[in-house]
Short mmCIF file of all heavy atoms in Angstrom, two decimals:
data_model
loop_
_atom_site.label_atom_id
_atom_site.label_comp_id
_atom_site.label_asym_id
_atom_site.label_seq_id
_atom_site.Cartn_x
_atom_site.Cartn_y
_atom_site.Cartn_z
N SER A 16 0.85 -1.19 0.00
CA SER A 16 0.00 0.00 0.00
C SER A 16 0.89 1.25 0.00
O SER A 16 2.11 1.17 0.11
CB SER A 16 -0.91 0.00 1.23
OG SER A 16 -0.13 0.15 2.41
N LEU A 17 0.25 2.39 -0.08
CA LEU A 17 0.98 3.65 -0.16
C LEU A 17 1.60 4.06 1.18
O LEU A 17 2.63 4.75 1.19
CB LEU A 17 0.02 4.73 -0.66
CG LEU A 17 0.59 6.03 -1.16
CD1 LEU A 17 1.66 5.81 -2.22
CD2 LEU A 17 -0.51 6.92 -1.71
N GLY A 18 1.03 3.63 2.30
CA GLY A 18 1.54 4.03 3.62
C GLY A 18 3.03 3.78 3.81
O GLY A 18 3.78 4.70 4.18
N PRO A 19 3.51 2.57 3.55
CA PRO A 19 4.95 2.31 3.71
C PRO A 19 5.82 3.11 2.72
O PRO A 19 6.96 3.42 3.01
CB PRO A 19 5.08 0.81 3.46
CG PRO A 19 3.73 0.25 3.64
CD PRO A 19 2.75 1.34 3.30
N VAL A 20 5.25 3.43 1.56
CA VAL A 20 6.01 4.22 0.59
C VAL A 20 6.21 5.64 1.14
O VAL A 20 7.30 6.20 1.05
CB VAL A 20 5.30 4.25 -0.78
CG1 VAL A 20 6.16 4.99 -1.80
CG2 VAL A 20 5.01 2.84 -1.28
N PHE A 21 5.14 6.20 1.73
CA PHE A 21 5.28 7.52 2.36
C PHE A 21 6.27 7.47 3.51
O PHE A 21 7.06 8.41 3.70
CB PHE A 21 3.93 8.04 2.85
CG PHE A 21 3.08 8.65 1.77
CD1 PHE A 21 1.77 8.27 1.62
CD2 PHE A 21 3.59 9.61 0.91
CE1 PHE A 21 0.97 8.84 0.63
CE2 PHE A 21 2.81 10.19 -0.08
CZ PHE A 21 1.49 9.79 -0.22
N ALA A 22 6.26 6.39 4.28
CA ALA A 22 7.21 6.25 5.38
C ALA A 22 8.64 6.23 4.83
O ALA A 22 9.55 6.87 5.40
CB ALA A 22 6.93 4.99 6.19
N LYS A 23 8.85 5.52 3.74
CA LYS A 23 10.18 5.47 3.12
C LYS A 23 10.57 6.86 2.60
O LYS A 23 11.73 7.27 2.72
CB LYS A 23 10.19 4.44 1.98
CG LYS A 23 11.53 4.26 1.33
CD LYS A 23 12.53 3.67 2.31
CE LYS A 23 13.83 3.33 1.62
NZ LYS A 23 14.84 2.86 2.56
N MET A 24 9.60 7.59 2.05
CA MET A 24 9.88 8.94 1.56
C MET A 24 10.33 9.84 2.71
O MET A 24 11.31 10.58 2.59
CB MET A 24 8.64 9.53 0.88
CG MET A 24 8.87 10.88 0.24
SD MET A 24 7.46 11.47 -0.72
CE MET A 24 6.26 11.71 0.58
N ARG A 25 9.64 9.75 3.86
CA ARG A 25 10.04 10.55 5.03
C ARG A 25 11.44 10.14 5.51
O ARG A 25 12.25 10.99 5.89
CB ARG A 25 9.01 10.40 6.15
CG ARG A 25 7.72 11.16 5.90
CD ARG A 25 6.81 11.16 7.11
NE ARG A 25 6.29 9.84 7.41
CZ ARG A 25 5.20 9.30 6.84
NH1 ARG A 25 4.51 9.98 5.95
NH2 ARG A 25 4.79 8.11 7.19
N GLU A 26 11.74 8.85 5.47
CA GLU A 26 13.06 8.37 5.87
C GLU A 26 14.15 8.94 4.96
O GLU A 26 15.18 9.42 5.43
CB GLU A 26 13.08 6.83 5.82
CG GLU A 26 14.44 6.21 6.07
CD GLU A 26 14.45 4.72 5.76
OE1 GLU A 26 13.46 4.02 6.07
OE2 GLU A 26 15.47 4.26 5.18
N GLU A 27 13.91 8.89 3.65
CA GLU A 27 14.89 9.41 2.69
C GLU A 27 15.06 10.92 2.84
O GLU A 27 16.17 11.44 2.75
CB GLU A 27 14.51 9.04 1.26
CG GLU A 27 14.55 7.56 0.95
CD GLU A 27 15.91 6.91 1.10
OE1 GLU A 27 16.94 7.63 1.22
OE2 GLU A 27 15.97 5.67 1.10
N LEU A 28 13.96 11.63 3.08
CA LEU A 28 14.04 13.08 3.28
C LEU A 28 14.85 13.39 4.54
O LEU A 28 15.70 14.29 4.54
CB LEU A 28 12.64 13.69 3.38
CG LEU A 28 12.59 15.19 3.63
CD1 LEU A 28 13.31 15.96 2.53
CD2 LEU A 28 11.15 15.65 3.76
N ALA A 29 14.63 12.63 5.60
CA ALA A 29 15.38 12.84 6.84
C ALA A 29 16.88 12.61 6.62
O ALA A 29 17.72 13.36 7.14
CB ALA A 29 14.86 11.93 7.95
N GLU A 30 17.22 11.58 5.84
CA GLU A 30 18.63 11.31 5.55
C GLU A 30 19.24 12.46 4.75
O GLU A 30 20.37 12.87 5.03
CB GLU A 30 18.77 9.99 4.80
CG GLU A 30 18.47 8.78 5.66
CD GLU A 30 18.48 7.47 4.89
OE1 GLU A 30 18.79 7.47 3.68
OE2 GLU A 30 18.15 6.44 5.50
N LEU A 31 18.50 12.98 3.79
CA LEU A 31 19.00 14.12 3.00
C LEU A 31 19.17 15.35 3.89
O LEU A 31 20.20 16.02 3.83
CB LEU A 31 18.04 14.42 1.85
CG LEU A 31 18.40 15.64 0.99
CD1 LEU A 31 19.76 15.48 0.33
CD2 LEU A 31 17.31 15.88 -0.03
N GLU A 32 18.18 15.61 4.73
CA GLU A 32 18.27 16.77 5.64
C GLU A 32 19.47 16.66 6.56
O GLU A 32 20.17 17.63 6.80
CB GLU A 32 17.00 16.88 6.49
CG GLU A 32 15.87 17.58 5.82
CD GLU A 32 14.70 17.76 6.77
OE1 GLU A 32 14.21 16.75 7.32
OE2 GLU A 32 14.27 18.92 6.95
N GLU A 33 19.71 15.46 7.08
CA GLU A 33 20.82 15.25 8.00
C GLU A 33 22.16 15.57 7.35
O GLU A 33 23.03 16.20 7.96
CB GLU A 33 20.82 13.79 8.49
CG GLU A 33 21.87 13.50 9.53
CD GLU A 33 21.79 12.06 10.01
OE1 GLU A 33 20.67 11.56 10.23
OE2 GLU A 33 22.86 11.45 10.14
N ILE A 34 22.31 15.21 6.09
CA ILE A 34 23.57 15.44 5.40
C ILE A 34 23.68 16.87 4.88
O ILE A 34 24.73 17.49 4.92
CB ILE A 34 23.74 14.43 4.24
CG1 ILE A 34 23.94 13.03 4.81
CG2 ILE A 34 24.92 14.81 3.35
CD1 ILE A 34 23.93 11.95 3.77
N ALA A 35 22.56 17.42 4.39
CA ALA A 35 22.61 18.71 3.70
C ALA A 35 22.39 19.92 4.60
O ALA A 35 22.67 21.04 4.19
CB ALA A 35 21.57 18.73 2.58
N THR A 36 21.90 19.72 5.82
CA THR A 36 21.63 20.84 6.71
C THR A 36 22.89 21.20 7.49
O THR A 36 23.50 20.34 8.12
CB THR A 36 20.50 20.49 7.69
OG1 THR A 36 19.35 20.13 6.94
CG2 THR A 36 20.16 21.67 8.58
N PRO A 37 23.27 22.47 7.45
CA PRO A 37 24.47 22.88 8.18
C PRO A 37 24.33 22.61 9.68
O PRO A 37 23.27 22.85 10.26
CB PRO A 37 24.56 24.38 7.92
CG PRO A 37 23.71 24.63 6.73
CD PRO A 37 22.64 23.57 6.73
N ALA A 38 25.39 22.10 10.27
CA ALA A 38 25.39 21.84 11.71
C ALA A 38 25.82 23.08 12.49
O ALA A 38 25.58 23.18 13.68
CB ALA A 38 26.33 20.68 12.02
N ASP A 39 26.46 24.01 11.83
CA ASP A 39 26.94 25.23 12.46
C ASP A 39 25.74 26.08 12.90
O ASP A 39 24.88 26.41 12.09
CB ASP A 39 27.80 26.00 11.45
CG ASP A 39 28.46 27.24 12.05
OD1 ASP A 39 27.87 27.85 12.95
OD2 ASP A 39 29.56 27.58 11.60
#
């Protein structure tokens, strides 16, 4: 179903944010 796909999308977005967001 679509629910787990949205969960995966949130996971991938979080990974991108973690790498791309400045820590400073």
Side-chain angles (χ1 to χ4, degrees):
S16 66
L17 195 53
V20 184
F21 280 130
K23 184 65 173 176
M24 185 173 66
R25 286 188 293 275
E26 174 190 320
E27 295 298 348
L28 178 59
E30 290 174 4
L31 177 61
E32 277 185 304
E33 184 178 318
I34 291 172
T36 303
D39 185 328

